[in-house]
């Protein structure tokens, strides 16, 4: 009888131990992570129809021999393949928004892979890389511009308002010989139209030419709709040029890589077997005196690194390594700076990978995710006496009526 009791107790202890380990690992993978079902992705309710021009639909399989890297540079005539091995990006000057880009300098990308369209989500797969198709909506772009114009009109004239609209991979790295075979609007033309709708009081930071000049690098994920940390770095370069400060070279940062990232496209394509897992590279801020406190949607306050160890997250949550994911409100402080410099970044998830680069330049960074934050942005800027306001969105936001409505709500 005693032996049975001992066996039962031993078994119970082992079972509890297993449950504790499983619970710990789950918490470890999902800690300080907010990329759940409440996150707004950027496909409209009705995805663009697709003119496949004889290409396959989602019921067909892509060319199984295609092995395109980001940008689908699988053909012999393609530009050099992206590389994770070496960071050679320099702090090269960024052309001004008014400068006419020299498109002849852009490297070509071609692919022999078939096109697979997932019409219910607006995602297209070419080889091992997915793209979200983009459709310009002028009425929505008008509402976006009006919200930005209201902000610049409401704040003091000495407040600088920077407007960054990030192109998505469909506008930058999609193979040139496939563009006419998918139903996606020109992001270059769309960005120019949006800029024309702005008042001119804000500083429109043009990103299209900058990203195109680096389009053969690993600047967008294969399996996710976000840009990579390297892509966000080039946006940081462009911002520094617009602000008149010197960006740090990419080679100055300590780089880490966490393998096996499967992002939103993997889910939105029903786990398309042709998609190749991403390497999740990230760069640690240079300053050692950084701290970040963030407030969740339920009002809970927590602390986290500005850039966390991505290996601590599950394969679908690694993007949460940047500023603890999507939270309504965060404050980053740099104890090494004593110049009272500050900015507010008003963003959706594309801004997450961008913010860490700013941490070496500002004593205080306020981060507002307008999708979840409730407040008056104009009053917040005045109360905190903030000189720099940075709006950063991906271009699909400018056609999404819900997201534009959320931004408009905090700019009454």
């Amino acid at each position: 009888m005693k032996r049975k009791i001992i066996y039962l107790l031993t078994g119970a202890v082992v079972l509890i131990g297993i449950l504790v380990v499983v619970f710990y690992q789950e918490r470890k993978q999902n800690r300080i992570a907010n990329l759940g079902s409440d996150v707004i992705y950027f496909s409209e309710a009705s995805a663009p129809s697709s003119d496949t021009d004889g290409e396959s639909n989602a019921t067909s399989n892509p060319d199984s021999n295609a092995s395109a890297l980001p940008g689908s540079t699988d053909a012999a005539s393609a530009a050099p393949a992206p590389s994770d091995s070496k960071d050679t990006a320099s702090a090269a000057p960024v052309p001004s928004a008014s400068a006419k880009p020299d498109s002849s300098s852009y490297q070509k990308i071609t692919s022999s892979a078939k096109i697979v369209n997932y019409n219910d989500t607006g995602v297209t797969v070419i080889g091992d890389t997915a793209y979200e198709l983009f459709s310009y909506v002028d009425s929505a772009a008008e509402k976006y511009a009006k919200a930005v114009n209201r902000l610049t009109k409401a704040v003091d004239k000495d407040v600088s308002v920077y407007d960054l609209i990030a192109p998505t991979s469909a506008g930058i790295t999609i193979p040139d010989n496939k563009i006419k075979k998918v139903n996606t609007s020109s992001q270059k033309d769309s960005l120019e139209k949006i800029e024309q709708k702005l008042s001119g009081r804000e500083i429109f930071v043009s990103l299209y030419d900058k990203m195109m000049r680096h389009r053969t690098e690993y600047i967008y994920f294969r399996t996710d709709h976000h840009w990579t940390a390297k892509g966000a770095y080039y946006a940081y370069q462009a911002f520094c040029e617009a602000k008149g400060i010197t960006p740090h070279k990419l080679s100055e940062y300590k780089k880490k890589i966490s393998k096996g990232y499967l992002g939103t496209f993997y889910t939105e394509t029903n786990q398309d077997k042709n998609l190749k897992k991403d390497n999740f590279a990230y760069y640690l801020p240079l300053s050692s005196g950084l701290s970040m406190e963030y407030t969740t949607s339920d009002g809970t306050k927590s602390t986290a690194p500005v850039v966390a160890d991505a290996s601590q997250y599950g394969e679908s949550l690694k993007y949460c390594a940047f500023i603890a994911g999507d939270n309504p409100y965060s404050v980053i402080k740099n104890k090494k700076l004593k110049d009272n410099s500050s900015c507010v970044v008003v963003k959706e998830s594309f801004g997450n990978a961008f913010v860490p680069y700013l941490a070496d330049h500002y004593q205080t960074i306020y981060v507002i995710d307008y999708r979840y934050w409730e407040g008056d942005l104009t009053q917040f800027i005045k109360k905190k006496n903030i000189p720099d306001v940075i709006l950063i969105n991906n271009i699909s936001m400018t056609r999404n009526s819900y997201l534009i409505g959320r931004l408009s709500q905090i700019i009454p």
Side-chain angles (χ1 to χ4, degrees):
M1 183 67 180
K2 289 183 178 180
R3 184 173 295 177
K4 288 184 177 180
I5 293 175
I6 291 173
Y7 287 158
L8 288 172
L9 289 173
T10 302
V13 170
V14 171
L15 179 60
I16 291 172
I18 293 173
L19 291 174
V20 168
V21 171
V22 171
F23 176 76
Y24 172 75
Q25 290 296 332
E26 184 176 350
R27 287 291 300 275
K28 183 179 178 182
Q29 289 186 338
N30 295 281
R31 68 191 181 104
I32 61 172
N34 177 26
L35 282 177
S37 59
D38 60 333
V39 171
I40 306 299
Y41 298 123
F42 306 105
S43 296
E44 292 281 14
S46 56
S49 61
S50 181
D51 178 11
T52 59
D53 192 23
E55 300 289 341
S56 61
N57 293 319
T59 55
S60 303
N61 290 325
D63 185 352
S64 59
N65 295 322
S67 57
L69 291 168
S72 299
T73 55
D74 59 300
S77 60
S83 172
D84 279 334
S85 61
K86 189 175 182 180
D87 295 319
T88 58
S90 63
V94 180
S96 66
S98 58
K100 188 174 181 179
D102 179 13
S103 59
S104 63
S105 64
Y106 301 151
Q107 289 184 284
K108 295 293 184 182
I109 298 175
T110 60
S111 173
S112 60
K114 293 181 179 179
I115 296 173
V116 177
N117 295 302
Y118 291 85
N119 294 323
D120 55 335
T121 60
V123 175
T124 285
V125 175
I126 304 175
D128 60 10
T129 303
Y131 305 87
E132 181 190 31
L133 302 182
F134 169 74
S135 57
Y136 175 75
V137 180
D138 190 70
S139 59
E142 183 74 28
K143 291 178 182 177
Y144 169 79
K146 285 183 177 179
V148 177
N149 292 340
R150 282 201 309 275
L151 175 64
T152 52
K153 184 178 180 180
V155 298
D156 294 338
K157 292 186 182 298
D158 58 348
V159 174
S160 297
V161 178
Y162 299 89
D163 188 21
L164 288 78
I165 302 177
T168 59
S169 59
I172 302 296
T173 60
I174 200 166
D176 296 283
N177 62 328
K178 301 292 183 179
I179 293 175
K180 292 182 179 179
K181 298 179 181 180
V182 295
N183 188 23
T184 189
S185 301
S186 166
Q187 294 190 19
K188 175 181 180 294
D189 294 344
S190 300
L191 288 167
E192 289 175 354
K193 291 176 182 177
I194 295 170
E195 183 181 5
Q196 290 171 3
K197 295 177 184 296
L198 297 173
S199 68
R201 157 74 172 83
E202 51 286 307
I203 303 167
F204 185 80
V205 182
S206 180
L207 297 181
Y208 180 83
D209 180 63
K210 183 69 169 177
M211 303 304 284
M212 283 295 289
R213 291 181 184 278
H214 296 277
R215 66 190 305 232
T216 59
E217 299 175 34
Y218 201 170
I219 57 175
Y220 293 97
F221 292 112
R222 287 181 289 260
T223 69
D224 190 63
H225 67 284
H226 295 106
W227 51 18
T228 63
K230 194 172 189 180
Y233 169 80
Y234 290 125
Y236 154 74
Q237 267 194 351
F239 167 76
C240 289
E241 174 69 16
K243 183 173 169 58
I245 60 176
T246 302
H248 294 291
K249 294 181 180 180
L250 196 61
S251 58
E252 295 181 56
Y253 299 97
K254 183 177 181 180
K255 178 183 178 181
K256 292 191 174 183
I257 297 177
S258 178
K259 296 182 178 180
Y261 177 48
L262 289 171
T264 55
F265 287 154
Y266 184 65
T267 302
E268 293 176 354
T269 59
N270 299 320
Q271 302 179 351
D272 190 306
K273 64 181 180 180
N274 295 283
L275 293 180
K276 184 179 179 180
K277 287 186 177 182
D278 285 293
N279 287 332
F280 189 90
Y282 51 108
Y283 304 88
L284 303 182
L286 300 177
S287 299
S288 58
L290 298 180
S291 64
M292 183 178 75
E293 181 180 80
Y294 65 94
T295 304
T296 62
S297 296
D298 63 5
T300 302
K301 291 185 177 182
S302 300
T303 60
V306 175
V307 179
D309 181 358
S311 66
Q312 300 296 304
Y313 296 91
E315 64 180 7
S316 65
L317 292 173
K318 295 186 185 296
Y319 197 76
C320 289
F322 302 124
I323 63 170
D326 295 326
N327 295 289
Y329 180 67
S330 306
V331 180
I332 300 171
K333 292 187 177 294
N334 187 334
K335 297 178 182 177
K336 298 294 184 179
L337 296 179
K338 304 295 182 182
D339 56 3
N340 293 321
S341 57
S342 66
C343 71
V344 58
V345 179
V346 183
K347 59 90 184 177
E348 34 83 353
S349 58
F350 260 62
N352 297 7
F354 171 81
V355 168
Y357 297 112
L358 302 179
D360 296 310
H361 297 277
Y362 290 97
Q363 183 175 337
T364 306
I365 301 174
Y366 304 97
V367 183
I368 289 175
D369 192 321
Y370 60 85
R371 295 172 296 175
Y372 314 115
W373 187 71
E374 302 289 343
D376 185 320
L377 179 59
T378 302
Q379 293 302 316
F380 179 87
I381 294 168
K382 292 179 178 179
K383 181 180 179 181
K384 298 291 186 180
N385 195 27
I386 298 171
D388 289 350
V389 180
I390 304 168
L391 306 173
I392 182 165
N393 290 278
N394 83 88
I395 193 171
S396 285
M397 175 272 180
T398 65
R399 67 177 176 89
N400 188 304
S401 57
Y402 174 79
L403 294 179
I404 296 170
R406 288 295 302 153
L407 178 64
S408 296
Q409 286 179 10
I410 69 169
I411 310 174

